[in-house]
Amino acid sequence: MTIGVIGVGYVGLPLVVAFAEAGDHVVAVDLDTQKVSALTAGESYIEDVPSERLRAVLPHVRASTRYADLAQADAILICVPTPLSENREPDLGALNASARALAQVLQPGQLVVLESTTYPGTTRERLVPLLEESGLRLGEDLNVAFSPERVDPGRTDFTLRTTPKVVGGMTPACLERATELYARVCDHIIPVSSPEAAELTKLLENIFRSVNIALVNELAMLAERMGIDIWEVVDAAATKPYGFMRFEPGPGMGGHCLPVDPFYLTWRAREFHMSTEFIELAGKINQQMPYHCVERIEQALNDATKPVKGSRILILGASYKGGVGDTRESPALRIMEVLRGRGGLVAYHDDFVPALPELGLESVPLDDAVADADAVVLVTAHPGIDYVSVAARTALFVDLRGVTRGANVENLVRL
Ligand SMILES: NC(=O)c1ccc[n+]([C@@H]2O[C@H](COP(=O)([O-])OP(=O)(O)OC[C@H]3O[C@@H](n4cnc5c(N)ncnc54)[C@H](O)[C@@H]3O)[C@@H](O)[C@H]2O)c1
């Protein structure tokens, strides 16, 4: 088969490699010429896809900026971004643009699957009408389905192949074709009755995480006032063999998914005269966490008789999660901005994020910066760093991730 993938970022690139490894030819289309050049040269820009793995399948992959190259594909997967606009409403600009461009080159018999996270109804009400501008008709000479991507960047225990794939087709034939397609690269396919069910499945998964993270964050703030160690409580609760699922407190949510996706549903719900209060409340608490963490840092410095203003504060970890370099919506950025706004002299160390142009900062070497800092704040813990030994070398260490729990280190403050 020939598979087309539109948008080859965190979601699209692993799909490109998976289908190429399954022996298919893949046409990878992206507007970003840097990504297209890197792909053509066999250089991966996604941590989860090593360049060696990409190079091994390169003869099966053609990267391009031209939608016309998709005309030869049997199936086309759309993996473009679905962010929020400035006033926090769904921004389907990339999806609209890609569907319109695809309609120009669509061929009879092609299957189109949307993978981007979005609100229920997008496939039916947005994507299909745009694709039908090609003159092709759904169910006659065009098949369309929705299948949400479940990739969790940095995770190694589950892969694209071993993570069950949910698929909803516009018609039974659409579902059948999409199921056959994904069976080439996934061991378990979960068919659902409609694209809407598949769209909402993805949102439920992310909202579930967002709400539970907010719950444990709220308890972390309360536990702090009560003088109880939240990490000890989470560890103890997690020993219950049933009915409890572990979620960790932290400096707030980041990435393209959790801070964004739930609000796609909130927006859509308004059309149905519903306000999704769990989602709003979880968003409110999680958005507040970076500010709460700044208060914690300020208080820790105050206890050491230092004001934020003029203090050298080293942030460890700028990406939104450990093991990846993705800084989208990262709480570390907000914490740095607020500390700077209060006059702190902020530097950061992150081997995954060499520079933060928006803050005019570059990652500084860990050892020198630790020695110089008035406070070192662990915002995102990357694998391979012994944070307890780092903490032992600091004047003041603020741990927002609980990785130092159990350690006997002076001048240590935990969320
Ligand atoms: N990153 C994740 O962990 C993750 C997980 C599950 C689902 N998702 C969802 O998958 C979708 C893509 O996310 P991502 O993280 O891969 O984004 P990304 O920014 O890493 O990649 C998207 C790519 O699409 C390209 N693009 C934008 N407009 C285009 C157009 N009109 N034509 C062709 N290419 C275009 C961009 O240049 C970019 O390379 C989003 O809806 C996201 O919510 C992401």
Side-chain angles (χ1 to χ4, degrees):
M1 283 179 81
T2 298
I3 312 294
V5 178
I6 302 177
V8 281
Y10 283 92
V11 166
L13 185 59
L15 286 165
V16 167
V17 173
F19 279 103
E21 285 174 344
D24 294 318
H25 291 282
V26 183
V27 179
V29 172
D30 203 296
L31 299 183
D32 182 342
T33 50
Q34 282 185 348
K35 283 203 177 100
V36 170
S37 305
L39 247 176
T40 307
E43 283 161 17
S44 175
Y45 39 82
I46 304 285
E47 293 89 358
D48 290 347
V49 179
S51 292
E52 303 78 61
R53 205 178 143 205
L54 175 60
R55 279 190 211 119
V57 295
L58 215 49
H60 297 283
V61 178
R62 184 144 60 90
S64 169
T65 53
R66 291 167 9 111
Y67 274 72
D69 293 331
L70 294 165
Q72 57 190 280
D74 300 290
I76 297 155
L77 314 179
I78 302 179
C79 311
V80 297
T82 46
L84 291 173
S85 66
E86 280 194 358
N87 41 4
R88 300 189 72 72
E89 292 188 345
D91 174 0
L92 293 183
L95 176 58
N96 290 338
S98 66
R100 284 200 180 96
L102 181 57
Q104 306 281 317
V105 300
L106 213 54
Q107 300 297 312
Q110 287 185 320
L111 164 70
V112 178
V113 187
L114 178 60
E115 291 239 0
S116 304
T117 309
T118 185
Y119 59 81
T122 310
T123 306
R124 189 179 304 274
E125 294 166 20
R126 281 285 183 128
L127 181 60
V128 170
L130 287 171
L131 295 178
E132 286 190 329
E133 284 177 12
S134 62
L136 302 181
R137 286 288 154 260
L138 178 80
E140 290 172 23
D141 36 24
L142 171 67
N143 291 118
V144 179
F146 181 84
S147 178
E149 181 49 61
R150 287 171 151 175
V151 68
D152 180 12
R155 181 175 281 279
T156 51
D157 51 352
F158 285 96
T159 61
L160 186 67
R161 177 161 285 288
T162 59
T163 306
K165 192 94 173 91
V166 174
V167 183
M170 287 291 298
T171 66
C174 297
L175 175 61
E176 197 180 320
R177 281 194 68 190
T179 302
E180 277 170 16
L181 170 74
Y182 285 113
R184 303 169 82 80
V185 291
C186 300
D187 291 340
H188 305 287
I189 310 296
I190 314 294
V192 293
S193 62
S194 64
E196 288 80 2
E199 288 160 338
L200 187 55
T201 300
K202 172 71 186 178
L203 293 180
L204 170 61
E205 292 166 13
N206 282 356
I207 290 163
F208 173 79
R209 286 189 55 74
S210 166
V211 167
N212 280 287
I213 291 169
L215 174 66
V216 77
N217 276 337
E218 187 173 68
L219 289 185
M221 291 187 272
L222 177 64
E224 191 184 304
R225 284 205 194 169
M226 292 176 154
I228 300 169
D229 182 345
I230 186 67
W231 303 97
E232 185 188 3
V233 173
V234 170
D235 285 345
T239 61
K240 186 175 179 184
Y242 49 87
F244 181 82
M245 186 177 282
R246 183 190 184 101
F247 284 88
E248 310 238 327
M253 295 185 315
H256 183 304
C257 298
L258 296 193
V260 173
D261 301 345
F263 297 101
Y264 267 65
L265 192 58
T266 297
W267 178 85
R268 181 65 162 171
R270 281 189 220 125
E271 262 182 74
F272 294 82
H273 311 287
M274 283 271 306
S275 70
T276 50
E277 293 179 28
F278 268 109
I279 299 174
E280 297 281 6
L281 181 60
K284 194 173 142 195
I285 292 171
N286 289 328
Q287 276 164 21
Q288 194 187 327
M289 282 314 284
Y291 297 94
H292 175 75
C293 292
V294 167
E295 299 304 324
R296 200 84 180 94
I297 297 162
E298 197 160 19
Q299 188 191 341
L301 277 166
N302 184 60
D303 290 346
T305 56
K306 289 177 183 169
V308 170
K309 193 166 185 160
S311 285
R312 284 156 304 185
I313 304 170
L314 174 67
I315 302 294
L316 301 184
S319 63
Y320 81 94
K321 70 186 274 193
V324 301
D326 191 348
T327 58
R328 287 178 293 182
E329 309 274 336
S330 173
L333 305 185
R334 182 54 43 86
I335 289 173
M336 286 193 246
E337 274 166 17
V338 179
L339 285 171
R340 259 192 177 180
R342 295 185 190 182
L345 307 175
V346 175
Y348 83 97
H349 168 80
D350 191 326
D351 281 336
F352 290 84
V353 183
L356 290 172
E358 62 273 45
L359 292 174
L361 293 174
E362 285 183 10
S363 174
V364 294
L366 183 61
D367 288 336
D368 303 350
V370 163
D372 283 347
D374 295 301
V376 176
V377 184
L378 172 57
V379 180
T380 299
H382 286 305
I385 297 183
D386 179 356
Y387 289 104
V388 174
S389 82
V390 174
R393 287 183 276 133
T394 60
L396 170 64
F397 194 83
V398 183
D399 174 6
L400 304 178
R401 291 289 181 177
V403 297
T404 59
R405 59 186 182 273
N408 188 14
V409 178
E410 276 181 43
N411 304 321
L412 179 64
V413 173
R414 262 192 302 277
L415 176 67

